[in-house]
């Protein structure tokens, strides 16, 4: 299922209305070059920034996007297409994405209103791609942004993603493992993510292993015998103190012990002292059990002696902010040798017209100071004091040769994310919202284009201001 969905790009992985609009374009002879931009409207609750993720899968999808004969036959049977002629279905038979894509590289920190992805293609092509682009970008960005908070809360201690069993589907579990590793987690319990993406995999044992044996001592000894030094033993099945003391008395040293319940502060402090007293200073204390960034921060503040954390549900579903306001909006249309700049002016959902670029300024030490969203044509004048975030990643429906894929793409994104997190203003690295958000502005020329387009729609300045309640 994973390879079928994310490896080959079925054209049916879209909403019906996308295909209906595509049919409308083809049947009416509406030929136009359309540019769509993908943005996040606003930050979710308690998010100070977002981490771009999912581009590798999005490009893979576009490269393989097509319709099989069986899929076209199915579409012919859908009632909405009952009166659609053969032109559209012939179009689908030869369909491939042939457009251009610019994107913010994975692992880049970004903010609301900033285009994460920009697609320019024939209108029908760009429309059919919409649903998958939103889904693939939304989910991994959401998870990576959550994981970055967890990693920051751990203050340099290892974090392992443990959430596959609670993810919304096995595919989601794999992609959550990927996005979490991208954002700084040390690895995942998901072995498919290890095989497919090169994510380091970790695991201990469940309470069932301990309970299946006649004694806790036997369960420990068998596991150590089988896996030698590659063992972290779960010590809270019956009694933490008894389990650790039994281990030490038998002289069978594991790599670490895991606490999954109880008083993690008191038990970790006691375990650390007991292990050190036995000369087992190199045996780590690993904690898991309904952890998130807030609980990790609270444990460390209380003095817990924990070397690493396993985080499950809160990561794989981003439990406190399980969705992003991601939208894919038409910003430019080239038809009959003329260019039009579409924009949306409905209240609180305004979209800025024109192809855009995001320019980031930083101080001499590398700390980010300000972003400006500008028209792409402003690049020469903006580039003198800042650098652009969007880069060309696909031309003619093919990924550029210097754009990595698979494990290589993930490794680079992980390095990029670590560097970007280190460059954030300190106030944005905290778990709570800063006194003032990171400054993101629109250029004067972009504002002027918005005003010009609004007048073409017959809107007055005060109506535009009202629509700009939020991006």
């Amino acid at each position: 299922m994973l390879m079928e969905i994310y490896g080959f790009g079925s054209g049916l992985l879209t909403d019906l209305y996308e295909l209906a609009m595509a049919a409308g374009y083809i049947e009416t002879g509406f030929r136009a070059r359309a540019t769509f931009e993908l943005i996040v409207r606003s930050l979710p609750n308690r998010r100070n920034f977002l981490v771009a993720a999912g581009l590798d899968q999005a490009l893979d999808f576009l490269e393989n996007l097509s319709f099989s004969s069986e899929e076209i036959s199915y579409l012919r049977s859908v009632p909405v297409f009952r009166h659609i002629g053969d032109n559209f279905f012939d179009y689908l038979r030869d369909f491939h994405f042939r457009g251009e894509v610019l994107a913010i590289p994975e692992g880049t920190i970004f903010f609301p209103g900033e285009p994460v992805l920009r697609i320019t293609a024939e209108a029908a092509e760009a429309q059919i791609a919409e649903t998958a682009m939103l889904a693939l970008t939304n989910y991994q960005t959401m998870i990576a942004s959550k994981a970055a908070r967890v990693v920051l809360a751990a203050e340099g201690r290892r974090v392992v993603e443990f959430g596959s069993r609670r993810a919304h589907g096995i595919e989601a579990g794999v992609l959550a493992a990927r996005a979490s590793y991208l954002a700084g987690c040390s690895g995942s319990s998901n072995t498919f993510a290890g095989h497919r993406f090169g994510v380091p995999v970790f695991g201990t044992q469940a309470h069932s292993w301990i309970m299946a044996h006649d004694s806790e001592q036997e369960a420990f000894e068998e596991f150590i015998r089988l896996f030698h030094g590659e063992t972290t033993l779960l010590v809270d099945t019956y009694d933490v103190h008894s389990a650790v003391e039994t281990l030490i008395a038998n002289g069978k040293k594991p790599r670490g012990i895991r606490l999954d319940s109880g008083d993690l502060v008191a038990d970790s402090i006691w375990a650390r002292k007991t292990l050190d007293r036995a000369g087992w200073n190199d045996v780590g204390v690993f904690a898991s059990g309904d952890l998130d960034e807030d609980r990790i921060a609270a444990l460390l503040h209380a003095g817990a002696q924990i070397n690493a954390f396993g985080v499950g549900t809160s990561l794989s579903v981003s439990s406190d902010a399980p969705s992003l306001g991601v939208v894919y909006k038409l910003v430019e249309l080239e038809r009959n040798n003329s260019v039009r700049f579409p924009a949306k002016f409905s209240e609180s959902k305004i979209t800025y017209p024109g192809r855009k670029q995001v320019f980031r300024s930083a101080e001499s030490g590398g700390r980010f100071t300000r972003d400006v969203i500008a028209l792409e044509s402003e690049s020469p004048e903006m580039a003198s004091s800042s650098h652009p975030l969007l880069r060309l990643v696909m031309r003619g429906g093919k990924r550029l040769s210097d754009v990595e894929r698979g494990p290589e793409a993930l490794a680079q994104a992980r390095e990029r994310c670590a560097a970007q997190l280190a460059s954030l203003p300190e106030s944005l690295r905290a778990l709570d919202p800063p006194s003032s958000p990171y400054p993101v502005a629109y250029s004067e020329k972009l504002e002027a284009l918005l005003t010009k387009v609004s007048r073409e729609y017959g809107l007055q300045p005060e109506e535009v201001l009202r629509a700009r309640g939020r991006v």
Side-chain angles (χ1 to χ4, degrees):
M1 179 63 75
L2 261 167
M3 292 307 295
E4 179 183 348
I5 291 179
Y6 297 113
F8 296 107
S10 164
L12 297 187
L13 286 169
T14 191
D15 292 303
L16 180 62
Y17 82 145
E18 310 286 11
L19 292 168
M21 286 187 284
Y25 292 136
I26 300 304
E27 291 295 290
T28 62
F30 185 98
R31 298 290 178 175
R33 190 84 170 155
T35 296
F36 286 80
E37 291 180 345
L38 188 151
I39 66 169
V40 178
R41 288 191 184 279
S42 60
L43 286 172
N45 186 41
R46 299 190 69 217
R47 296 293 185 273
N48 300 335
F49 58 86
L50 296 170
V51 179
L55 177 63
D56 187 30
Q57 285 67 52
L59 296 181
D60 183 59
F61 180 87
L62 291 175
E63 283 187 309
N64 294 283
L65 182 53
S66 63
F67 293 83
S68 69
S69 296
E70 187 275 331
E71 289 170 337
I72 294 171
S73 295
Y74 163 73
L75 288 176
R76 285 182 179 274
S77 73
V78 175
V80 73
F81 297 116
R82 185 178 297 130
H83 303 294
I84 296 298
D86 288 339
N87 282 347
F88 176 58
F89 300 107
D90 290 342
Y91 169 80
L92 295 184
R93 188 169 290 108
D94 297 324
F95 182 90
H96 293 287
F97 180 80
R98 298 176 175 85
E100 173 186 277
V101 180
L102 279 82
I104 290 177
E106 289 192 276
T108 301
I109 301 295
F110 73 99
F111 301 92
E114 300 180 342
V116 184
L117 189 76
R118 193 177 86 205
I119 285 180
T120 300
E122 287 297 317
E125 287 181 33
Q127 207 75 71
I128 289 171
E130 175 176 358
T131 302
M133 295 302 97
L134 287 168
L136 290 166
T137 305
N138 167 68
Y139 181 69
Q140 287 201 65
T141 295
M142 179 180 72
I143 301 301
S145 303
K146 174 70 171 181
R149 285 171 56 83
V150 175
V151 168
L152 289 171
E155 298 179 354
R157 295 163 181 82
R158 290 190 301 121
V159 176
V160 178
E161 184 274 322
F162 266 22
S164 292
R165 65 186 59 196
R166 301 287 174 78
H168 296 165
I170 195 64
E171 298 92 350
V174 173
L175 294 179
R178 180 186 187 275
S180 296
Y181 183 64
L182 181 157
C185 287
S186 298
S188 171
S189 63
N190 190 296
T191 48
F192 191 95
H195 169 68
R196 176 67 179 83
F197 299 119
V199 175
V201 292
F202 299 92
T204 57
Q205 70 280 124
H207 292 103
S208 56
W209 171 266
I210 308 298
M211 295 186 290
H213 290 79
D214 292 336
S215 69
E216 193 172 45
Q217 177 179 339
E218 179 189 359
F220 288 162
E221 288 179 351
E222 287 296 299
F223 214 78
I224 291 174
R225 182 180 65 80
L226 285 170
F227 298 102
H228 303 281
E230 300 298 319
T231 51
T232 296
L233 299 177
L234 187 58
V235 296
D236 72 327
T237 305
Y238 306 118
D239 178 76
V240 171
H241 290 210
S242 175
V244 173
E245 288 169 346
T246 296
L247 270 176
I248 292 172
N250 290 335
K252 302 288 176 61
K253 186 169 72 167
R255 170 179 288 183
I257 62 170
R258 176 159 74 101
L259 304 171
D260 190 55
S261 60
D263 188 335
L264 296 182
V265 175
D267 286 345
S268 67
I269 291 172
W270 177 88
R272 183 73 273 154
K273 288 181 179 178
T274 304
L275 293 168
D276 289 349
R277 194 161 47 242
W280 287 11
N281 311 74
D282 56 341
V283 175
V285 177
F286 185 86
S288 58
D290 297 323
L291 298 181
D292 62 12
E293 65 267 44
D294 294 312
R295 193 167 179 215
I296 288 173
L299 287 170
L300 296 179
H301 181 75
Q305 297 296 298
I306 297 171
N307 305 103
F309 298 93
V311 183
T313 305
S314 70
L315 260 184
S316 63
V317 302
S318 186
S319 52
D320 65 324
S323 65
L324 294 176
V326 182
V327 294
Y328 179 90
K329 294 301 180 184
L330 180 65
V331 297
E332 188 172 304
L333 195 72
E334 184 180 354
R335 188 183 183 204
N336 299 328
N337 297 317
S338 65
V339 176
R340 188 163 63 82
F341 298 102
K344 184 177 178 180
F345 291 97
S346 56
E347 191 165 350
S348 298
K349 290 188 176 181
I350 191 170
T351 59
Y352 278 75
R355 299 187 191 190
K356 291 175 280 297
Q357 179 61 271
V358 183
F359 296 91
R360 177 161 293 165
S361 299
E363 59 188 29
S364 57
R367 190 78 68 188
F368 302 153
T369 56
R370 181 174 185 257
D371 287 4
V372 175
I373 305 170
L375 291 166
E376 182 183 53
S377 59
E378 297 183 71
S379 292
E381 56 197 275
M382 291 285 182
S384 61
S385 59
S386 56
H387 68 276
L389 298 188
L390 287 158
R391 59 176 285 207
L392 183 66
V393 294
M394 177 174 278
R395 183 186 290 116
K398 298 296 182 183
R399 188 187 309 231
L400 298 189
S401 60
D402 63 342
V403 178
E404 301 78 14
R405 66 175 73 229
E408 293 76 18
L410 179 56
Q412 291 225 353
R414 177 177 166 84
E415 290 181 10
R416 183 179 296 112
C417 184
Q420 295 256 317
L421 288 173
S423 298
L424 274 177
E426 196 63 37
S427 61
L428 269 65
R429 292 164 53 87
L431 296 184
D432 294 323
S435 56
S436 57
Y438 181 80
V440 178
Y442 293 91
S443 73
E444 291 182 5
K445 289 185 178 180
L446 183 54
E447 293 282 12
L449 179 61
L450 178 69
T451 300
K452 177 178 180 293
V453 172
S454 70
R455 287 174 176 158
E456 292 172 357
Y457 282 90
L459 298 176
Q460 299 302 314
E462 60 271 15
E463 293 177 289
V464 177
L465 290 173
R466 184 168 61 251
R468 291 178 59 186
R470 65 183 175 89
V471 177

